[in-house]
Amino acid sequence: MTQVESKPTTNDTPFVPIEKIVALCKRRGFVYPNSEIYGGVSGIYDFGPLGVELRNNIRRYWWWSMVQLHDNIVGIEGAIITHPRVWEASGHVENFVDRLVDCKNCKRRFRIDHLPEENVIQNKCPECGGELMEPRTFNLLMETYLGVVEGERMQTYLRGEACQNIYLDFDNVVKSSRVQIPFGICQIGKAFRNEVTPGNFLFRQREFEQWDLQFFVHPSEMLQWFDYWKEKRFEWYMGLINHKDRLHFREHGPDELAHYAKQAFDIEYKTILGWQEWEGIHWRQDWDLSRHSEYSGQDLSYTDQNTKERYIPWIVETSGGVDRTFLNLLLDAYEEEPDPTGKEPRTVLRLHPALAPVKVAVLPLQKNKEELVTTAKNIHKKLQRLMVSQYDDVANIGRRYRRQDEIGTPYCVTIDFQTLEDRTVTVRERDHMTQVRVNIDELPAYLLERVTWQ
Ligand code: ATP
């Protein structure tokens, strides 16, 4: 897919406040607070008509580039509920905890690992300077129950991370498809965490969606594949953002590394919240398959067809979030620029055209001229079969362009009086507001080339 053009940023380029994105999302139907009429639920959101389009495009593009384009990668879709022993084997029952403190004075709550060191040492609230209470430990797994009869119900969990299904299905995938090491299994799926400090809109939620690649390798090839996927995933995010200087790697320090990990990197993106994790690249070694072999009693080792060597494969994991991608892309794309005609500023979402929720808007110049309206509706009906198209004849053409700019529609097609004479339409591009005349018969190909990934 073509890269988004770089938008050079300087130290003075302001970061977009999260509130602007929250307001846009609500106003234009991207994201709504869940159960809003009952007062909402902290850390849980619903996606509206435009949000679901954007989200689907983001998911599909990940799947296309990770699964469809790789002969040695397959996909699965695992269930949200698994056997409870899975979470013992994975270590989540014992270790999936956050330690948090409350401020005695302002009652704010903080994760200890997110507090500046001096506040931890001085036991002082970073917001009001008040005294902090004794730290408490919380497990993040969400419990649920299977069965109807009290006393016979089995307690289990909504999955705390999506990737466990991949380890559980590893042996089935090897036996039922023709994959051979090195190969990968991908999945996109919901995860649930009782986050103690949900917030910052979609950034930290209690129900969210992850995308994972678990890439299985021979131990002798671990380093080369780790480097390969680290670079590949970085390039993938880089291709989607305007502010190229706001993406970097952060290497995990020795105190953050799991005991089996030789190295780990976060791909981080800088927003008004500072540098924050977008995706993690993890060296998981043989930890997951060994633990599930041990806890289930099933041997999850792999036999090389050629050498007959039998071993537990090592794993490179790339694990990112659909919702964080959604939020980061909106923060990256949002811009308010002065109106060249001196009226209100223009709000524009510079989303990659292939991800934009609406690809084209079809606009008759005037709604009281029947011929213009009929031609425009016919064009819209044709385009609708190929891409998400919107027909709009309400308000003057300038306002209609603005409405589309604000939701990131890359192209607007205007049907005017010249159209009736020579069958050409005006195609107006979102970012530079340039306009070209295109013949109606060539319009589908013209747009498809620009709004699909290939
Ligand atoms: P953090 O340190 O921010 O809590 P994490 O290291 O626990 O994240 P992982 O368990 O590695 O995150 O999850 C992989 C990805 O899932 C993250 O990179 C992020 O994009 C996404 N993610 C994790 N927790 C949340 C959440 N509560 N809400 C939204 N997305 C999340």
Short mmCIF file of all heavy atoms in Angstrom, two decimals, residues 361-407:
data_model
loop_
_atom_site.label_atom_id
_atom_site.label_comp_id
_atom_site.label_asym_id
_atom_site.label_seq_id
_atom_site.Cartn_x
_atom_site.Cartn_y
_atom_site.Cartn_z
N ALA A 361 -17.70 11.05 -1.85
CA ALA A 361 -19.01 11.67 -1.68
C ALA A 361 -19.43 12.19 -3.05
O ALA A 361 -18.63 12.81 -3.76
CB ALA A 361 -18.93 12.81 -0.68
N VAL A 362 -20.68 11.92 -3.40
CA VAL A 362 -21.18 12.35 -4.71
C VAL A 362 -22.16 13.49 -4.49
O VAL A 362 -23.16 13.35 -3.76
CB VAL A 362 -21.85 11.16 -5.46
CG1 VAL A 362 -22.29 11.60 -6.84
CG2 VAL A 362 -20.88 9.99 -5.55
N LEU A 363 -21.87 14.65 -5.10
CA LEU A 363 -22.58 15.88 -4.78
C LEU A 363 -23.10 16.57 -6.04
O LEU A 363 -22.30 17.04 -6.86
CB LEU A 363 -21.63 16.85 -4.06
CG LEU A 363 -20.63 16.25 -3.05
CD1 LEU A 363 -19.59 17.27 -2.64
CD2 LEU A 363 -21.38 15.74 -1.82
N PRO A 364 -24.42 16.64 -6.22
CA PRO A 364 -24.93 17.47 -7.32
C PRO A 364 -24.74 18.95 -6.93
O PRO A 364 -24.97 19.30 -5.78
CB PRO A 364 -26.41 17.10 -7.39
CG PRO A 364 -26.75 16.59 -6.02
CD PRO A 364 -25.50 16.05 -5.41
N LEU A 365 -24.34 19.77 -7.89
CA LEU A 365 -24.05 21.17 -7.56
C LEU A 365 -25.28 21.86 -6.96
O LEU A 365 -25.17 22.60 -6.00
CB LEU A 365 -23.59 21.90 -8.83
CG LEU A 365 -23.08 23.32 -8.62
CD1 LEU A 365 -21.83 23.32 -7.75
CD2 LEU A 365 -22.80 23.98 -9.96
N GLN A 366 -26.45 21.55 -7.53
CA GLN A 366 -27.70 22.14 -6.99
C GLN A 366 -28.75 21.04 -6.85
O GLN A 366 -28.83 20.16 -7.70
CB GLN A 366 -28.24 23.20 -7.95
CG GLN A 366 -27.36 24.43 -8.01
CD GLN A 366 -27.88 25.42 -9.05
OE1 GLN A 366 -29.00 25.30 -9.56
NE2 GLN A 366 -27.06 26.41 -9.36
N LYS A 367 -29.54 21.13 -5.77
CA LYS A 367 -30.49 20.04 -5.58
C LYS A 367 -31.83 20.29 -6.26
O LYS A 367 -32.69 19.43 -6.32
CB LYS A 367 -30.65 19.72 -4.10
CG LYS A 367 -31.59 20.52 -3.30
CD LYS A 367 -31.53 19.98 -1.89
CE LYS A 367 -32.83 20.06 -1.19
NZ LYS A 367 -32.73 19.70 0.21
N ASN A 368 -32.02 21.50 -6.79
CA ASN A 368 -33.30 21.78 -7.44
C ASN A 368 -33.23 21.59 -8.96
O ASN A 368 -34.15 21.95 -9.67
CB ASN A 368 -33.80 23.19 -7.09
CG ASN A 368 -32.70 24.22 -7.31
OD1 ASN A 368 -31.62 23.86 -7.77
ND2 ASN A 368 -32.98 25.47 -6.98
N LYS A 369 -32.11 21.06 -9.45
CA LYS A 369 -32.00 20.80 -10.90
C LYS A 369 -32.05 19.28 -11.10
O LYS A 369 -31.11 18.56 -10.76
CB LYS A 369 -30.67 21.33 -11.46
CG LYS A 369 -30.59 22.84 -11.48
CD LYS A 369 -31.32 23.43 -12.70
CE LYS A 369 -31.33 24.94 -12.75
NZ LYS A 369 -32.09 25.64 -11.75
N GLU A 370 -33.20 18.83 -11.59
CA GLU A 370 -33.47 17.40 -11.62
C GLU A 370 -32.41 16.58 -12.36
O GLU A 370 -32.00 15.51 -11.92
CB GLU A 370 -34.84 17.17 -12.26
CG GLU A 370 -35.43 15.82 -11.84
CD GLU A 370 -36.70 15.53 -12.60
OE1 GLU A 370 -37.50 16.46 -12.79
OE2 GLU A 370 -36.87 14.36 -13.02
N GLU A 371 -31.91 17.14 -13.45
CA GLU A 371 -30.93 16.40 -14.26
C GLU A 371 -29.63 16.16 -13.50
O GLU A 371 -29.00 15.11 -13.60
CB GLU A 371 -30.63 17.18 -15.54
CG GLU A 371 -31.29 16.58 -16.76
CD GLU A 371 -30.82 17.28 -18.01
OE1 GLU A 371 -31.10 18.50 -18.11
OE2 GLU A 371 -30.17 16.63 -18.85
N LEU A 372 -29.24 17.20 -12.73
CA LEU A 372 -28.01 17.07 -11.92
C LEU A 372 -28.21 15.99 -10.86
O LEU A 372 -27.35 15.14 -10.63
CB LEU A 372 -27.66 18.40 -11.23
CG LEU A 372 -27.25 19.58 -12.09
CD1 LEU A 372 -26.90 20.79 -11.22
CD2 LEU A 372 -26.06 19.22 -12.97
N VAL A 373 -29.37 16.04 -10.21
CA VAL A 373 -29.66 15.09 -9.12
C VAL A 373 -29.71 13.66 -9.66
O VAL A 373 -29.11 12.75 -9.09
CB VAL A 373 -30.99 15.48 -8.42
CG1 VAL A 373 -31.49 14.37 -7.52
CG2 VAL A 373 -30.82 16.77 -7.64
N THR A 374 -30.40 13.46 -10.78
CA THR A 374 -30.51 12.11 -11.34
C THR A 374 -29.14 11.57 -11.74
O THR A 374 -28.80 10.43 -11.43
CB THR A 374 -31.43 12.11 -12.59
OG1 THR A 374 -32.58 12.87 -12.26
CG2 THR A 374 -31.82 10.73 -13.03
N THR A 375 -28.35 12.41 -12.39
CA THR A 375 -27.01 11.95 -12.80
C THR A 375 -26.18 11.60 -11.57
O THR A 375 -25.50 10.57 -11.53
CB THR A 375 -26.29 13.07 -13.62
OG1 THR A 375 -27.19 13.53 -14.61
CG2 THR A 375 -25.03 12.56 -14.26
N ALA A 376 -26.24 12.46 -10.57
CA ALA A 376 -25.45 12.22 -9.35
C ALA A 376 -25.88 10.92 -8.67
O ALA A 376 -25.04 10.11 -8.25
CB ALA A 376 -25.60 13.39 -8.38
N LYS A 377 -27.19 10.69 -8.60
CA LYS A 377 -27.68 9.47 -7.93
C LYS A 377 -27.24 8.22 -8.71
O LYS A 377 -26.92 7.20 -8.10
CB LYS A 377 -29.20 9.51 -7.78
CG LYS A 377 -29.61 10.43 -6.64
CD LYS A 377 -31.09 10.34 -6.33
CE LYS A 377 -31.41 11.18 -5.10
NZ LYS A 377 -32.82 11.48 -4.95
N ASN A 378 -27.26 8.32 -10.03
CA ASN A 378 -26.81 7.17 -10.83
C ASN A 378 -25.33 6.87 -10.59
O ASN A 378 -24.93 5.71 -10.46
CB ASN A 378 -27.03 7.43 -12.33
CG ASN A 378 -28.51 7.31 -12.68
OD1 ASN A 378 -29.27 6.69 -11.92
ND2 ASN A 378 -28.91 7.91 -13.78
N ILE A 379 -24.53 7.93 -10.54
CA ILE A 379 -23.09 7.74 -10.30
C ILE A 379 -22.88 7.11 -8.90
O ILE A 379 -22.12 6.16 -8.73
CB ILE A 379 -22.33 9.09 -10.41
CG1 ILE A 379 -22.36 9.56 -11.87
CG2 ILE A 379 -20.90 8.97 -9.90
CD1 ILE A 379 -21.75 10.93 -12.10
N HIS A 380 -23.60 7.65 -7.93
CA HIS A 380 -23.49 7.12 -6.56
C HIS A 380 -23.85 5.63 -6.52
O HIS A 380 -23.16 4.82 -5.90
CB HIS A 380 -24.41 7.94 -5.65
CG HIS A 380 -24.67 7.32 -4.32
ND1 HIS A 380 -23.67 7.09 -3.40
CD2 HIS A 380 -25.82 6.87 -3.74
CE1 HIS A 380 -24.19 6.52 -2.33
NE2 HIS A 380 -25.49 6.37 -2.50
N LYS A 381 -24.93 5.25 -7.20
CA LYS A 381 -25.37 3.84 -7.20
C LYS A 381 -24.29 2.94 -7.79
O LYS A 381 -24.07 1.82 -7.31
CB LYS A 381 -26.66 3.68 -8.03
CG LYS A 381 -27.90 4.12 -7.30
CD LYS A 381 -28.41 3.01 -6.36
CE LYS A 381 -29.22 3.60 -5.22
NZ LYS A 381 -28.97 3.04 -3.91
N LYS A 382 -23.63 3.42 -8.84
CA LYS A 382 -22.56 2.62 -9.46
C LYS A 382 -21.37 2.48 -8.53
O LYS A 382 -20.82 1.40 -8.34
CB LYS A 382 -22.09 3.28 -10.76
CG LYS A 382 -22.97 2.97 -11.93
CD LYS A 382 -22.18 2.98 -13.25
CE LYS A 382 -23.11 2.60 -14.38
NZ LYS A 382 -23.54 3.75 -15.17
N LEU A 383 -20.97 3.61 -7.92
CA LEU A 383 -19.77 3.60 -7.06
C LEU A 383 -20.00 2.77 -5.79
O LEU A 383 -19.09 2.12 -5.28
CB LEU A 383 -19.37 5.04 -6.68
CG LEU A 383 -18.84 5.90 -7.82
CD1 LEU A 383 -18.56 7.32 -7.33
CD2 LEU A 383 -17.56 5.29 -8.42
N GLN A 384 -21.24 2.81 -5.31
CA GLN A 384 -21.60 2.12 -4.07
C GLN A 384 -21.29 0.62 -4.10
O GLN A 384 -21.03 0.02 -3.08
CB GLN A 384 -23.11 2.29 -3.89
CG GLN A 384 -23.56 2.35 -2.49
CD GLN A 384 -25.03 2.73 -2.44
OE1 GLN A 384 -25.78 2.45 -3.38
NE2 GLN A 384 -25.42 3.34 -1.36
N ARG A 385 -21.31 0.04 -5.30
CA ARG A 385 -21.02 -1.39 -5.41
C ARG A 385 -19.53 -1.67 -5.21
O ARG A 385 -19.13 -2.79 -4.95
CB ARG A 385 -21.45 -1.91 -6.80
CG ARG A 385 -22.93 -1.73 -7.06
CD ARG A 385 -23.29 -2.24 -8.44
NE ARG A 385 -23.20 -3.69 -8.49
CZ ARG A 385 -24.18 -4.52 -8.13
NH1 ARG A 385 -25.32 -4.02 -7.69
NH2 ARG A 385 -24.03 -5.81 -8.20
N LEU A 386 -18.71 -0.65 -5.36
CA LEU A 386 -17.26 -0.83 -5.33
C LEU A 386 -16.61 -0.30 -4.06
O LEU A 386 -15.51 -0.72 -3.68
CB LEU A 386 -16.63 -0.10 -6.52
CG LEU A 386 -17.16 -0.47 -7.89
CD1 LEU A 386 -16.67 0.50 -8.94
CD2 LEU A 386 -16.72 -1.89 -8.24
N MET A 387 -17.25 0.67 -3.42
CA MET A 387 -16.62 1.32 -2.26
C MET A 387 -17.70 2.05 -1.47
O MET A 387 -18.82 2.21 -1.97
CB MET A 387 -15.55 2.32 -2.74
CG MET A 387 -16.11 3.45 -3.54
SD MET A 387 -14.86 4.44 -4.40
CE MET A 387 -14.44 3.43 -5.78
N VAL A 388 -17.34 2.51 -0.27
CA VAL A 388 -18.34 3.24 0.52
C VAL A 388 -18.49 4.64 -0.08
O VAL A 388 -17.53 5.43 -0.11
CB VAL A 388 -17.96 3.31 2.01
CG1 VAL A 388 -18.98 4.14 2.79
CG2 VAL A 388 -17.86 1.91 2.60
N SER A 389 -19.68 4.92 -0.58
CA SER A 389 -19.97 6.20 -1.24
C SER A 389 -21.15 6.86 -0.51
O SER A 389 -22.05 6.17 -0.05
CB SER A 389 -20.34 5.92 -2.70
OG SER A 389 -20.87 7.06 -3.32
N GLN A 390 -21.10 8.19 -0.40
CA GLN A 390 -22.22 8.91 0.22
C GLN A 390 -22.78 9.90 -0.77
O GLN A 390 -22.01 10.61 -1.42
CB GLN A 390 -21.72 9.69 1.45
CG GLN A 390 -21.87 8.93 2.73
CD GLN A 390 -21.56 9.79 3.96
OE1 GLN A 390 -21.32 10.99 3.86
NE2 GLN A 390 -21.55 9.15 5.11
N TYR A 391 -24.11 9.95 -0.86
CA TYR A 391 -24.76 10.97 -1.69
C TYR A 391 -25.18 12.10 -0.77
O TYR A 391 -25.73 11.86 0.31
CB TYR A 391 -25.98 10.35 -2.39
CG TYR A 391 -26.82 11.37 -3.10
CD1 TYR A 391 -26.48 11.78 -4.39
CD2 TYR A 391 -27.91 11.96 -2.47
CE1 TYR A 391 -27.24 12.75 -5.04
CE2 TYR A 391 -28.67 12.93 -3.12
CZ TYR A 391 -28.33 13.32 -4.40
OH TYR A 391 -29.06 14.28 -5.03
N ASP A 392 -24.89 13.33 -1.16
CA ASP A 392 -25.28 14.46 -0.30
C ASP A 392 -25.68 15.65 -1.15
O ASP A 392 -24.90 16.10 -2.01
CB ASP A 392 -24.07 14.83 0.60
CG ASP A 392 -24.43 15.91 1.62
OD1 ASP A 392 -25.63 16.26 1.74
OD2 ASP A 392 -23.51 16.41 2.30
N ASP A 393 -26.90 16.15 -0.94
CA ASP A 393 -27.31 17.34 -1.69
C ASP A 393 -27.78 18.45 -0.76
O ASP A 393 -28.45 19.38 -1.16
CB ASP A 393 -28.38 16.99 -2.74
CG ASP A 393 -29.65 16.41 -2.12
OD1 ASP A 393 -29.81 16.50 -0.88
OD2 ASP A 393 -30.47 15.84 -2.86
N VAL A 394 -27.43 18.33 0.55
CA VAL A 394 -27.91 19.32 1.53
C VAL A 394 -26.85 20.39 1.77
O VAL A 394 -25.71 20.06 2.09
CB VAL A 394 -28.30 18.63 2.85
CG1 VAL A 394 -28.77 19.66 3.88
CG2 VAL A 394 -29.37 17.58 2.61
N ALA A 395 -27.23 21.64 1.62
CA ALA A 395 -26.38 22.84 1.85
C ALA A 395 -25.49 23.13 0.65
O ALA A 395 -25.42 22.35 -0.31
CB ALA A 395 -25.53 22.68 3.10
N ASN A 396 -24.79 24.28 0.72
CA ASN A 396 -23.99 24.67 -0.44
C ASN A 396 -22.76 23.77 -0.56
O ASN A 396 -22.39 23.07 0.37
CB ASN A 396 -23.61 26.16 -0.38
CG ASN A 396 -22.63 26.44 0.75
OD1 ASN A 396 -21.66 25.70 0.94
ND2 ASN A 396 -22.89 27.48 1.51
N ILE A 397 -22.13 23.83 -1.73
CA ILE A 397 -21.07 22.85 -2.03
C ILE A 397 -19.89 22.97 -1.06
O ILE A 397 -19.30 21.97 -0.65
CB ILE A 397 -20.64 22.96 -3.52
CG1 ILE A 397 -19.94 21.71 -3.98
CG2 ILE A 397 -19.77 24.17 -3.79
CD1 ILE A 397 -20.85 20.58 -4.30
N GLY A 398 -19.58 24.21 -0.66
CA GLY A 398 -18.47 24.43 0.28
C GLY A 398 -18.71 23.72 1.61
O GLY A 398 -17.84 23.05 2.16
N ARG A 399 -19.92 23.83 2.12
CA ARG A 399 -20.25 23.18 3.40
C ARG A 399 -20.19 21.66 3.27
O ARG A 399 -19.78 20.95 4.17
CB ARG A 399 -21.67 23.58 3.85
CG ARG A 399 -21.74 24.97 4.39
CD ARG A 399 -23.11 25.18 5.03
NE ARG A 399 -23.10 24.77 6.43
CZ ARG A 399 -22.70 25.56 7.41
NH1 ARG A 399 -22.27 26.79 7.14
NH2 ARG A 399 -22.71 25.16 8.65
N ARG A 400 -20.63 21.19 2.09
CA ARG A 400 -20.61 19.74 1.89
C ARG A 400 -19.18 19.22 1.82
O ARG A 400 -18.87 18.16 2.36
CB ARG A 400 -21.40 19.37 0.62
CG ARG A 400 -22.90 19.40 0.87
CD ARG A 400 -23.67 18.99 -0.36
NE ARG A 400 -23.97 20.14 -1.22
CZ ARG A 400 -24.37 20.05 -2.47
NH1 ARG A 400 -24.51 18.86 -3.04
NH2 ARG A 400 -24.64 21.13 -3.18
N TYR A 401 -18.27 19.98 1.19
CA TYR A 401 -16.86 19.59 1.19
C TYR A 401 -16.34 19.52 2.63
O TYR A 401 -15.64 18.60 3.02
CB TYR A 401 -16.01 20.60 0.41
CG TYR A 401 -16.10 20.51 -1.10
CD1 TYR A 401 -15.84 21.63 -1.91
CD2 TYR A 401 -16.41 19.32 -1.74
CE1 TYR A 401 -15.90 21.57 -3.29
CE2 TYR A 401 -16.48 19.24 -3.13
CZ TYR A 401 -16.23 20.37 -3.90
OH TYR A 401 -16.29 20.30 -5.27
N ARG A 402 -16.70 20.52 3.42
CA ARG A 402 -16.23 20.57 4.82
C ARG A 402 -16.70 19.36 5.63
O ARG A 402 -15.96 18.81 6.43
CB ARG A 402 -16.75 21.85 5.52
CG ARG A 402 -16.11 23.10 5.04
CD ARG A 402 -14.61 23.01 5.28
NE ARG A 402 -13.90 23.91 4.41
CZ ARG A 402 -13.68 25.19 4.70
NH1 ARG A 402 -14.11 25.68 5.83
NH2 ARG A 402 -13.04 25.96 3.86
N ARG A 403 -17.96 19.03 5.40
CA ARG A 403 -18.51 17.87 6.14
C ARG A 403 -17.69 16.62 5.84
O ARG A 403 -17.44 15.79 6.70
CB ARG A 403 -19.96 17.60 5.72
CG ARG A 403 -20.97 18.39 6.50
CD ARG A 403 -22.32 17.67 6.53
NE ARG A 403 -23.02 17.70 5.26
CZ ARG A 403 -23.87 18.66 4.89
NH1 ARG A 403 -24.10 19.68 5.68
NH2 ARG A 403 -24.48 18.60 3.74
N GLN A 404 -17.28 16.47 4.57
CA GLN A 404 -16.51 15.28 4.17
C GLN A 404 -15.07 15.38 4.66
O GLN A 404 -14.50 14.38 5.08
CB GLN A 404 -16.56 15.10 2.65
CG GLN A 404 -17.96 14.84 2.10
CD GLN A 404 -18.61 13.57 2.65
OE1 GLN A 404 -17.93 12.61 3.01
NE2 GLN A 404 -19.93 13.55 2.74
N ASP A 405 -14.49 16.58 4.62
CA ASP A 405 -13.10 16.75 5.11
C ASP A 405 -13.01 16.29 6.57
O ASP A 405 -12.05 15.65 6.98
CB ASP A 405 -12.68 18.23 5.05
CG ASP A 405 -12.48 18.70 3.62
OD1 ASP A 405 -12.33 17.84 2.72
OD2 ASP A 405 -12.46 19.93 3.41
N GLU A 406 -14.03 16.65 7.34
CA GLU A 406 -14.00 16.38 8.78
C GLU A 406 -14.04 14.89 9.10
O GLU A 406 -13.62 14.47 10.17
CB GLU A 406 -15.21 17.09 9.42
CG GLU A 406 -15.06 17.28 10.89
CD GLU A 406 -16.31 17.84 11.55
OE1 GLU A 406 -17.43 17.43 11.20
OE2 GLU A 406 -16.15 18.68 12.44
N ILE A 407 -14.56 14.08 8.19
CA ILE A 407 -14.59 12.63 8.44
C ILE A 407 -13.54 11.91 7.59
O ILE A 407 -13.49 10.68 7.56
CB ILE A 407 -16.00 12.03 8.22
CG1 ILE A 407 -16.46 12.23 6.77
CG2 ILE A 407 -17.00 12.62 9.20
CD1 ILE A 407 -17.71 11.41 6.41
#
